[in-house]
Amino acid sequence: MTEEILVADPQERFQDFLKADKYRERISRMAIAGSTSLTVDFEELLTTDSALAENLMEKPDEYLEHANRAALAQLQIEEPEYAEGIEKIDVRLRGLPETIPLRTLGSEQLGKLVMVEGIVVRATPSQPLITQAAFRCKRCGTVTPVPQTGTFLMAPIVCSDPACKRKGPFDFVQEESTFIDSQEIRIQERPEELPPGQLPRWIDVKLLGKDLVDVARPGDHVSVVGTVRASAPTIPKVGKLRVFTLHLDTNFTDVVSKEPETVVVSPEEEKQIFELAKDPWVHRKIIRSIAPSIYGYEHVKEAIMYLLFGGVAKYLSDITIRGDMNVLLIGDPGTAKSQLLQYVAKIAPRGLYTSGRGTTAAGLTAAVIRERAGGMTLEAGALVLADKGIASIDEIDKMRPEDRVAIHEAMEQHTVSVAKGGIVATLNARTAILAAANPALGRYDAYRTVAENIALPVTILSRFDLIFVLRDIPERELDTKMTEHILELHKSGAVPVESPISPDLLRKYVSYTKNLKPALTPEALNRLKDFYLTMRSASETEGTPIAITARQLESLVRVAEARARAALRKEVTTEDAEASIAIMKRSLEEVGIDISSHKLDIDIIMTGKPKSLRDRLQVVLSTIVEMEKETGMVEKSALLEKLQTEYEIATNEAERLIGQLTKEGTVYSPRDGYLKKT
Ligand SMILES: Nc1ncnc2c1ncn2[C@@H]1O[C@H](COP(=O)(O)OP(=O)(O)OP(=O)(O)O)[C@@H](O)[C@H]1O
Ligand SMILES: [Mg+2]
Ligand SMILES: [Zn+2]
């Protein structure tokens, strides 16, 4: 408890404070704007009149009244004409000396003025709240005003006409009642502040007055100055509960910057960052530092690197093109998908991990929910909460049906629109997405298309820049290494391979590059253009319906930009373009597109593998099966020869097909130079 310092004439002292030029100016501006609230910078009051400031924090109910009256008195001096029609000025206090973490808010702060920060997760629409109700007596016609404070509308006990004094009945007169704009929002601890494994704390915040309502929307990060109150929930006909819940009566709300707070980088770390950026192997180093406990998956980790750094958003006069990437991992059970996702959520500035079902009623996008009291509330889902960050969505194939519709807009336009229950809103969801899904049939079936393998429509699949398939295929050499890796990890309790960049430095490195906007060099642009046009024309001449679409072209640019960013470069070089093309090819191949024949048909995702490839794979496989009948194991050289002579499949093509079958796990090598069907 701070010691109480009594202040004589608080109203006068506050008015003295308001006589500073700055506030006189603000008061004049109130008249121009027709406003009835005056914002005071609390830190200033604290230095000018600390006793007064402390009393405001300790006894806000009493001292805010003094402040409000002082402001009105000063307004009457500065702008007497404007002041004439005004009954009350609200003094708004901005920026208390300290922010109380929501986690520690409790009965200790009851009745005190505090400042808290958090993310808005819910908001009711702005609604008129009655502050003074007028009732007309049905017997004599006299109107009785009744100030309203409680939850329910109160009628007068008796008629205010001394000659009548009857107990009604009364009619409510709306035209003669006074209303104020009101809104209730819920703020929650920010995802980045949440201690690992804990559920976020939240508090309901009541907003009264037209300058306070509709200032913040779900997904906004806000700082709220308000008085801590406790109220007991009422159970009709039973009474009030003994356990009270806390809420805030708001004095001031500020939407704070949505940029992830720029991490403080020491000169020492800055030096490390520059050194790293100069390293010709910087990309390799970053990739090796991503989830080092997870063995292999270099290409997935490369994609994660691009996702972390991100491309450059383009804000054109008519449209906006997202810079953030979306990456999807489809995989057999136990292929470390969840582990990778959790790692990314931890390392990314403003990262959030959620399951496709979402952790709240709002799921991934947003929802309008009906409250117990009957009102409607707009609640923000994971993608809105992860605005300007990265959302790791595990089991995305299990998302709510409502999200399946809304996620289309979220993934491309980066907004979530809601129109339901009288609430119409568009929320920001500028989020990079790393999603994971299990194959619908339990295991990935290489002979089916991606769309057949996963319970997601093509319209959603096509919004992922990169898609990879993680398959659990027994393969002797890889298995041995991975087993050793995992066992070593369990034995020593440490990562077997040391990561070149510590997670802490990597996080700082990522946010350090965020303001960089690398631009394509003419050479890089030409390289991407060539690749794209080749793929387009290939399909044109051969009459396949749709080649890769403009979506993939944008993805290529994003990846190349992200790669430049990762090296702290302002220019996107040919090398970046090449790397971008390489990983895009890999992704397209994994979803079953035949790169070799240049038939890059994105429709394949929907319709199936190119017939030619499927046929040739079938030929190789059936030849193997046939030969197995004779020899048990198939000698590779004999197979190659047979394919050449009987089916005119060239050796290098045959090698590639065998490679694909091996990768798919249909064929394995029991020993060097031999093959066998699994
Ligand atoms: N390549 C790997 N390197 C190291 N550990 C691995 C690897 N693959 C799997 N594991 C381990 O296997 C376990 C299972 O991984 P995880 O839970 O992430 O799988 P998942 O792909 O999410 O599976 P599911 O689809 O069933 O959810 C984890 O403990 C993970 O560390
Ligand atoms: Mg999992
Ligand atoms: Zn009466």
Side-chain angles (χ1 to χ4, degrees), residues 297-371:
Y297 298 137
E298 294 266 315
H299 60 298
V300 174
K301 291 181 180 182
E302 184 181 342
I304 289 176
M305 167 175 75
Y306 299 140
L307 184 94
L308 282 172
F309 287 91
V312 182
K314 316 284 177 347
Y315 302 98
L316 312 178
S317 57
D318 48 349
I319 56 165
T320 303
I321 302 170
R322 67 182 160 94
D324 298 304
M325 297 191 6
N326 301 322
V327 175
L328 173 65
L329 310 178
I330 307 173
D332 292 340
T335 45
K337 298 182 299 298
S338 299
Q339 297 280 23
L340 283 168
L341 260 62
Q342 259 161 353
Y343 174 84
V344 169
K346 244 188 291 169
I347 197 94
R350 196 165 285 177
L352 183 143
Y353 176 90
T354 180
S355 103
R357 292 188 189 88
T359 37
T360 62
L364 296 179
T365 53
V368 172
I369 50 174
R370 189 180 289 278
E371 301 239 53

Side-chain angles (χ1 to χ4, degrees), residues 62-242:
E62 185 185 338
Y63 277 76
L64 271 170
E65 280 307 312
H66 294 309
N68 292 346
R69 278 198 298 272
L72 184 59
Q74 193 58 26
L75 182 75
Q76 282 158 350
I77 297 173
E78 301 284 343
E79 303 285 338
E81 225 168 281
Y82 177 65
E84 236 167 68
I86 289 173
E87 278 172 28
K88 188 188 168 208
I89 295 296
D90 286 307
V91 169
R92 307 294 185 200
L93 301 172
R94 170 165 61 199
L96 299 197
E98 69 166 335
T99 307
I100 311 272
L102 280 183
R103 203 150 273 279
T104 65
L105 207 60
S107 46
E108 206 181 308
Q109 283 95 3
L110 270 183
K112 306 238 167 91
L113 196 70
V114 297
M115 182 164 76
V116 296
E117 277 181 15
I119 181 167
V120 179
V121 289
R122 284 184 177 189
T124 66
S126 158
Q127 286 160 327
L129 177 82
I130 195 160
T131 50
Q132 179 155 296
F135 288 90
R136 180 175 291 118
C137 174
K138 275 193 167 173
R139 313 261 172 147
C140 72
T142 307
V143 171
T144 307
V146 185
Q148 302 289 324
T149 49
T151 318
F152 303 102
L153 187 64
M154 297 292 288
I157 296 161
V158 291
C159 177
S160 60
D161 185 347
C164 171
K165 281 208 167 171
R166 270 176 286 205
K167 291 197 176 125
F170 301 100
D171 274 336
F172 172 61
V173 194
Q174 190 183 316
E175 308 81 68
E176 290 177 44
S177 301
T178 319
F179 291 87
I180 186 168
D181 287 330
S182 80
Q183 186 179 28
E184 200 167 311
I185 61 176
R186 176 172 292 178
I187 64 171
Q188 183 174 300
E189 284 177 300
R190 290 184 279 185
E192 62 261 39
E193 282 166 355
L194 198 60
Q198 302 246 22
L199 288 174
R201 298 277 177 91
W202 49 262
I203 189 168
D204 284 328
V205 172
K206 297 192 174 165
L207 305 163
L208 286 183
K210 71 172 190 293
D211 61 320
L212 293 183
V213 303
D214 284 337
V215 169
R217 291 181 303 166
D220 282 346
H221 290 241
V222 292
S223 156
V224 178
V225 173
T227 311
V228 184
R229 308 255 189 237
S231 54
T234 315
I235 298 178
K237 296 201 179 87
V238 177
K240 287 185 181 281
L241 298 179
R242 244 182 85 203

